[in-house]
């Protein structure tokens, strides 16, 4: 008899029968409020009628043509639609299937365009699970232990994790930028550095917004030394933070932007965007792949962009995100073991600290599991696993946020007492 590999770590025992909007209906007959959205993917909610219609229509027209063999209309349309939401300098695009592939593609592009080897990443960053993406990931040793050698040319600098360091945000930014300069003086010459790779909000690494001043500091150093700034918007992008792109808060212009997850509401597609001039420095044929830019996924992505605009979902993410953050703060005030609540928009993390001999990681895992029992799906994150993250769909309603808060509060009470 075959079974699923024990190599997988299952966050919940739920088997989904069907799903709509913010809800998952389990084969156990229960309804779950889904604050995981397939790890930040089903941006327009489960099975949004317009996304479903676009995908169904496309399935009957052409499923796969391979866009470097035969171009197809949905992808040309998607290039056009993305032009309406991307920073204007990022006017050249290509596509892959997943976040990891897009990260690898961006790194290859940065190395080819600059002729330099090193990529500087920031502690706690998550960039994927393929060998190169895992080499760039510092959100937990579980993502890279046991299959060395990893890709070379990766240097890690501290992330301004103010809460962990017991510093103000300004102090943490100052510390992290000084350490970056020290890294440049001590270990990796800026002239040998192709790119900085950073998430606008650390995702799997703990749901930590990257301070605006830190991104601005990276931009300054990038300009000074001819280093490219790559923003990994795979989790924080596409409206999730209450702005279309997570880096917008800081006002910086990235050189390369990577997007995936929320881009197509659940269909596998990712995109890499950069100025044409930068893209032209890599040779034609240096990127590609069999399935990248699939026609059905591209049609679903076009519908996703339309729905986000028509239903004002970026604004909804901001307003509902504030509601969620305020409710979580109220819960946190009641419990010493909740040491921090933070996030941007519909990307909120609740950090747990040690109590009763239990570590923050044990507490967060217990709370995450208890939420399932309460009818709310959540996930943990952070290298120590001590953060519960809530990632509702961008279509989430005020009532659903209130219900989610009620269920989250009940789960904490169940675990902590
Ligand atoms: N970058 C970020 C910021 C992510 O959150 C993820 C996925 N969690 C990835 C890259 C990798 O994406 P994928 O799982 O689609 O390969």
């Amino acid at each position: 008899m075959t079974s699923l590999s024990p190599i997988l770590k299952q966050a919940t025992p739920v088997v989904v029968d069907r799903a709509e909007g913010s809800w998952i209906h389990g084969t156990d007959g229960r309804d779950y409020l889904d604050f995981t959205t397939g790890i930040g993917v089903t941006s327009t909610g489960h099975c949004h009628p317009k996304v479903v219609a676009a995908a169904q229509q496309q399935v009957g027209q052409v499923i796969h043509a391979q866009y470097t063999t035969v171009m197809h209309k949905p992808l040309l349309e998607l290039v056009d639609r993305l032009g309406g939401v991307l920073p204007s300098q990022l006017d050249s695009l290509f596509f892959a299937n997943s976040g990891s592939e897009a990260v690898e593609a961006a790194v290859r592009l940065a190395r080819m365009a600059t002729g330099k080897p090193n990529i500087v990443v920031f502690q706690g960053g998550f960039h994927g699970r393929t060998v190169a993406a895992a080499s760039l990931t510092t959100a937990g040793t579980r993502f890279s232990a046991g299959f060395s050698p990893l890709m070379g040319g990766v240097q890690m600098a501290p992330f301004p994790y103010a809460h962990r360091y017991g510093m103000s945000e300004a102090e943490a930014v100052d510390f992290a930028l000084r350490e970056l300069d020290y890294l440049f003086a001590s270990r990796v010459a800026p002239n040998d550095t192709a790119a900085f790779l950073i998430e606008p909000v650390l995702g799997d690494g703990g749901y930590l917004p990257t301070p605006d001043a830190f991104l601005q500091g990276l931009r300054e150093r990038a300009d000074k030394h001819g280093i490219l700034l790559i923003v990994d918007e795979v989790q924080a992008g596409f409206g999730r933070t209450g702005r279309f792109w997570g880096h917008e808060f800081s006002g910086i212009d990235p050189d390369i932007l990577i997007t995936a997850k929320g881009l197509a509401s659940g269909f596998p597609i990712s995109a890499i965007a950069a100025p044409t001039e930068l893209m032209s420095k890599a040779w034609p044929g240096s990127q590609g792949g069999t399935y990248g830019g699939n026609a059905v996924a591209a049609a679903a992505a076009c519908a996703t962009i339309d729905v986000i605009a028509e239903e004002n979902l970026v604004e909804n993410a901001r307003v509902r995100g504030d509601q969620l953050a305020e409710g979580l703060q109220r819960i946190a005030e009641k419990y010493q073991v909740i040491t921090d609540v933070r996030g941007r928009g519909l990307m909120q993390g609740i950090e747990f600290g040690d109590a009763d001999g239990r570590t923050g990681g044990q507490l967060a895992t217990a709370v995450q599991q208890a939420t399932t029992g309460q009818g709310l799906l959540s996930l943990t994150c952070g290298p120590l696993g001590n953060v519960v993250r809530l990632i509702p769909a961008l279509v989430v309603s005020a009532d659903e946020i209130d219900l989610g808060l009620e269920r989250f509060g009940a789960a904490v009470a169940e675990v902590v007492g």
Side-chain angles (χ1 to χ4, degrees), residues 170-181:
E171 285 167 345
V173 168
D174 186 54
F175 164 75
L177 286 175
R178 278 196 286 126
E179 286 302 305
L180 176 61
D181 292 336

Side-chain angles (χ1 to χ4, degrees), residues 39 97-101 103 126-130 133 199 201 203-204 232-236 258 260-261 389:
I39 325 188
N97 303 285
S98 65
S100 304
E101 280 177 88
V103 164
F126 183 91
H127 301 289
R129 288 200 181 252
T130 55
E199 294 165 87
V201 180
D204 293 62
D232 180 346
E233 294 267 8
V234 167
Q235 193 156 165
I258 307 157
K261 289 195 190 272
R389 56 175 150 166

Side-chain angles (χ1 to χ4, degrees), residues 89-90 219 222-223 227-231 253-257 273-275 278:
Q89 80 277 12
L90 307 181
R219 182 69 266 174
D223 289 341
I227 297 170
L228 299 173
L229 178 51
I230 308 174
V231 286
D253 292 326
D255 297 302
I256 304 178
L257 181 149
L278 198 158

Side-chain angles (χ1 to χ4, degrees), residues 159-163 199-203 205-210 340 342-343 351:
F159 180 87
Y161 190 165
H163 176 66
E199 294 165 87
V201 180
L202 290 201
Y207 270 38
L208 286 157
T210 303
D340 197 25
R342 74 239 166 180
E351 183 164 327

Side-chain angles (χ1 to χ4, degrees), residues 58-276:
Q58 188 56 46
V59 165
Q61 213 157 328
V62 61
I63 296 173
H64 176 73
Q66 210 290 322
Y67 80 113
T68 59
T69 306
V70 175
M71 187 50 67
H72 50 78
K73 256 173 42 190
L75 202 69
L76 294 173
E77 268 172 41
L78 181 56
V79 170
D80 194 47
R81 293 277 211 302
L82 283 169
V85 295
L86 279 166
S88 58
Q89 80 277 12
L90 307 181
D91 59 356
S92 183
L93 289 160
F94 63 96
F95 296 88
N97 303 285
S98 65
S100 304
E101 280 177 88
V103 164
E104 293 211 11
V107 165
R108 285 208 300 277
L109 173 62
R111 284 177 168 172
M112 284 190 276
T114 61
K116 300 196 268 179
N118 289 304
I119 310 294
V120 175
V121 297
F122 299 90
Q123 191 166 25
F126 183 91
H127 301 289
R129 288 200 181 252
T130 55
V131 173
S135 311
L136 298 153
T137 288
T138 52
T141 48
R142 64 187 178 283
F143 299 117
S144 57
F147 58 85
S148 287
L150 299 172
M151 177 180 76
V154 180
Q155 306 289 340
M156 186 188 77
F159 180 87
Y161 190 165
H163 176 66
R164 177 168 174 75
Y165 296 144
M167 291 177 181
S168 70
E169 184 176 293
E171 285 167 345
V173 168
D174 186 54
F175 164 75
L177 286 175
R178 278 196 286 126
E179 286 302 305
L180 176 61
D181 292 336
Y182 194 55
L183 179 74
F184 279 152
S186 60
R187 167 83 186 129
V188 50
N191 285 345
D192 289 337
T193 302
F196 296 126
L197 172 64
I198 190 155
E199 294 165 87
V201 180
L202 290 201
D204 293 62
Y207 270 38
L208 286 157
T210 303
D212 298 341
F214 191 63
L215 280 176
Q216 290 155 3
L218 295 187
R219 182 69 266 174
E220 272 168 35
R221 285 156 180 80
D223 289 341
K224 185 169 164 202
H225 302 297
I227 297 170
L228 299 173
L229 178 51
I230 308 174
V231 286
D232 180 346
E233 294 267 8
V234 167
Q235 193 156 165
F238 251 76
R240 177 143 300 283
T241 61
R243 299 270 182 96
F244 203 96
W245 302 110
H247 75 268
E248 278 175 41
F249 292 88
S250 68
I252 59 124
D253 292 326
D255 297 302
I256 304 178
L257 181 149
I258 307 157
T259 179
K261 289 195 190 272
L263 162 61
S265 300
F267 287 85
I269 184 167
S270 56
I272 302 91
T276 307

